[in-house]
Amino acid sequence: MTQQGDNWWDKLYDESAPDTAPTVSGDTLDDHFASAPRATTGPPGPGPAPKAEDPRTAPPPALPDRAPWEAPESGPRSFPGPPPPAPVPQADPVLETDPETDPETDPDPDLEADPGTDPEAGPWTDVEPDPHTGPERAPDADLTVQVPLPRPRAAGFVGSRPPTYEPEPTALPVARPGELAELVSDTVLDGARYGTCTLRAASVRGDSARYRGEPRRDALLTARFGHDEAALVLVAVAAGSRAAEDAHLAAADACQWIAEAVGRSHARLSEDIRTGRRGDLKSGLHRLTDRTYGKLRARAADRGLAPDEYTATLRCLLVPADPECRTRVFFGIGGGGLFRLRDGSWQDIEPLLPEPGAVTGAPVVGFGSPPAPARETEPEIDVEAETAEGDRLTMNLGVTTAPGPLIEEPVPPPAEPFRFRASIARPGDTLLLASPGLAEPMRGEPALARELAARWAEQEPPGLAAFLADTQLRVTGYADDRTGVAVWEA
């Protein structure tokens, strides 16, 4: 290149040449480096820069007064006032009232005050009403709540005086470690609704057994066999003998075995009930009941007990689930009661037992029959002779007669007759199947029958709790176990 052509290069990179930038700055690189810390730490002050707090030890941030979406408050903000001063003990003031002023019409001066101020907080405090709770209700405002009252109940007993025993359980029965499955609860309660009928069942330990710590001897079993219209509802009630130690076990076995027998034949029984085959029903149920008592006698032999020491009365009720069938069948053996509440009065519909002469035949030889008359024999011949010494010789040539009939000493008591009844229910009827502990006061205390009739005369059947209270109505002189099964017809 020529000397003239290199002049432009010298002019461009000449150190003394001024900068060609649009603005001229007097800062150097050191100035820019020094300004960087000032931009991150703030302007320099007289004191040292504050230290950054450790996030692990820093206190949690204060929560905001309102959510981000809430509008800010308008007007001055309220703050709680100072606490009120301690009251100074003073004598009770005597208030003088103006007889012409009616306290009900005279407004309360405190209510005329500004609702936005609190007298205790001071005049500088502006109190805002709570938007969630609204304005405070006046102290004399009356709030009335309509609560449905339950059906009124009478006292826990009927009669002239209360029973001697306490109305609640006192002592529990004795339990054995290896026989816990044989324990019986104090109370059993059950219920159902099928077709046009409502079922209520309860079994309660008697006051005497509760006081002495004895088990409940009544047993209750409710079961349904089948489905839909062919279903059959069975209710079995058994009562053990009070003198037997294992009476509660015998009652439970009787209910279980009759339920098993009915369950195996429920299809045929349901068909017989709906078609009205009364003869087939009676013979079939009699056969099933006899088998149940045969098992009870076998169980008594296994336990080394007499048959009358391991037995129970048994009463059952069959109710078909078909709404078109209103036939109710009762069967069983032993004491108790079957009652029907119709048109506000009780009817005792217990099946009548035949007269003793109708079931007693001619005496059987060996079981109490009179001995047969002695048959005629050859006359006795006595040959008497007297010796020289004065002795007399007698010779009897008679033939010895046959011994009389053998009579066994304990003659077994006659078996309880079988009870059966099939009745057609009417709308509004109430059928009550009762154990001996409930049937006896129903027949012996008219006040109990009247009270139950008044309670159950309503169209709506009672609930489970109400039915239990009705069953537990106590009567002086009747402290045995109670079991009742009631069926209300719609």
Side-chain angles (χ1 to χ4, degrees):
M1 297 178 69
T2 59
Q3 183 68 26
Q4 186 178 359
D6 293 339
N7 292 337
W8 65 275
W9 179 269
D10 296 338
K11 292 180 180 179
L12 181 62
Y13 292 100
D14 188 6
E15 294 181 358
S16 61
D19 192 1
T20 58
T23 58
V24 179
S25 175
D27 297 338
T28 62
L29 181 60
D30 295 337
D31 295 336
H32 284 287
F33 182 79
S35 64
R38 291 196 303 270
T40 58
T41 60
K51 293 183 179 181
E53 295 183 358
D54 189 358
R56 295 173 296 179
T57 60
L63 297 177
D65 295 339
R66 65 179 62 85
W69 56 83
E70 293 182 355
E73 297 181 358
S74 59
R77 186 176 180 183
S78 302
F79 296 92
V88 180
Q90 299 178 358
D92 296 339
V94 179
L95 299 180
E96 297 180 359
T97 58
D98 188 1
E100 299 180 356
T101 305
D102 188 1
E104 296 183 358
T105 58
D106 189 16
D108 191 353
D110 295 338
L111 298 179
E112 296 180 356
D114 188 3
T117 60
D118 187 2
E120 296 184 358
W124 59 85
T125 304
D126 188 7
V127 180
E128 296 181 358
D130 190 354
H132 300 286
T133 59
E136 295 183 359
R137 186 179 298 272
D140 57 347
D142 187 11
L143 180 62
T144 304
V145 180
Q146 298 293 338
V147 179
L149 297 178
R151 186 173 59 174
R153 291 289 173 185
F157 69 93
V158 293
S160 58
R161 59 184 180 87
T164 306
Y165 296 104
E166 297 182 5
E168 299 298 333
T170 304
L172 291 173
V174 178
R176 302 180 182 87
E179 301 175 358
L180 297 180
E182 299 178 356
L183 293 178
V184 181
S185 59
D186 178 88
T187 304
V188 176
L189 187 62
D190 204 352
R193 185 191 298 269
Y194 285 100
T196 60
C197 65
T198 301
L199 174 68
R200 297 288 182 264
S203 182
V204 184
R205 188 164 55 136
D207 294 341
S208 176
R210 285 177 168 179
Y211 178 77
R212 293 179 171 84
E214 299 173 351
R216 177 171 50 87
R217 298 178 182 88
D218 282 5
L220 172 66
L221 186 145
T222 54
R224 174 182 63 90
F225 303 103
H227 304 277
D228 301 331
E229 288 79 8
L232 187 64
V233 178
L234 166 71
V235 184
V237 176
S241 175
R242 187 172 184 179
E245 182 179 358
D246 297 333
H248 61 290
L249 303 179
D253 288 342
C255 290
Q256 180 180 352
W257 288 334
I258 193 63
E260 292 176 355
V262 170
R264 286 189 291 264
S265 307
H266 76 275
R268 175 66 182 275
L269 293 173
S270 178
E271 182 182 357
D272 291 343
I273 293 175
R274 289 183 293 168
T275 55
R277 300 172 185 168
R278 186 179 184 279
D280 296 343
L281 274 173
K282 184 175 182 180
S283 61
L285 294 174
H286 195 176
R287 199 163 46 246
L288 298 181
T289 306
D290 287 344
R291 293 176 184 174
T292 299
Y293 276 86
K295 290 184 178 181
L296 283 176
R297 290 189 292 269
R299 179 63 62 86
D302 295 341
R303 290 176 168 265
L305 301 174
D308 57 345
E309 294 179 356
Y310 196 84
T311 187
T313 63
L314 180 62
R315 308 175 71 81
C316 303
L317 192 64
L318 292 177
V319 180
D322 188 358
E324 301 298 330
C325 181
R326 288 184 176 269
T327 304
R328 310 295 180 241
V329 178
F330 159 78
F331 68 96
I333 290 179
L338 183 65
F339 307 93
R340 179 172 59 197
L341 180 62
R342 175 174 291 179
D343 299 332
S345 60
W346 286 105
Q347 302 174 0
D348 193 343
I349 58 175
E350 180 78 10
L352 298 178
L353 298 179
E355 296 295 334
V359 296
T360 305
V364 181
V365 175
F367 292 92
S369 60
R375 60 178 181 174
E376 297 181 357
T377 57
E378 297 180 1
E380 298 180 356
I381 301 175
D382 295 337
V383 179
E384 298 182 359
E386 185 175 357
T387 61
E389 291 80 6
D391 297 332
R392 303 182 62 182
L393 302 177
T394 303
M395 182 175 58
N396 189 355
L397 300 179
V399 180
T400 306
T401 59
L406 176 63
I407 300 178
E408 300 178 356
E409 42 175 276
V411 178
E416 287 279 352
F418 179 73
R419 303 168 188 258
F420 176 86
R421 184 185 181 94
S423 60
I424 305 299
R426 298 180 185 177
D429 286 354
T430 300
L431 190 65
L432 176 61
L433 176 67
S435 67
L438 180 59
E440 292 176 1
M442 282 288 293
R443 296 189 178 105
E445 181 58 51
L448 177 62
R450 288 194 301 267
E451 180 65 24
L452 293 182
R455 296 188 179 190
W456 295 351
E458 301 178 3
Q459 296 181 356
E460 187 67 22
L464 292 180
F467 180 75
L468 178 61
D470 297 341
T471 309
Q472 287 182 305
L473 273 176
R474 307 165 68 214
V475 182
T476 303
Y478 300 94
D480 290 339
D481 300 343
R482 287 188 181 183
T483 302
V485 179
V487 178
W488 277 263
E489 301 292 340

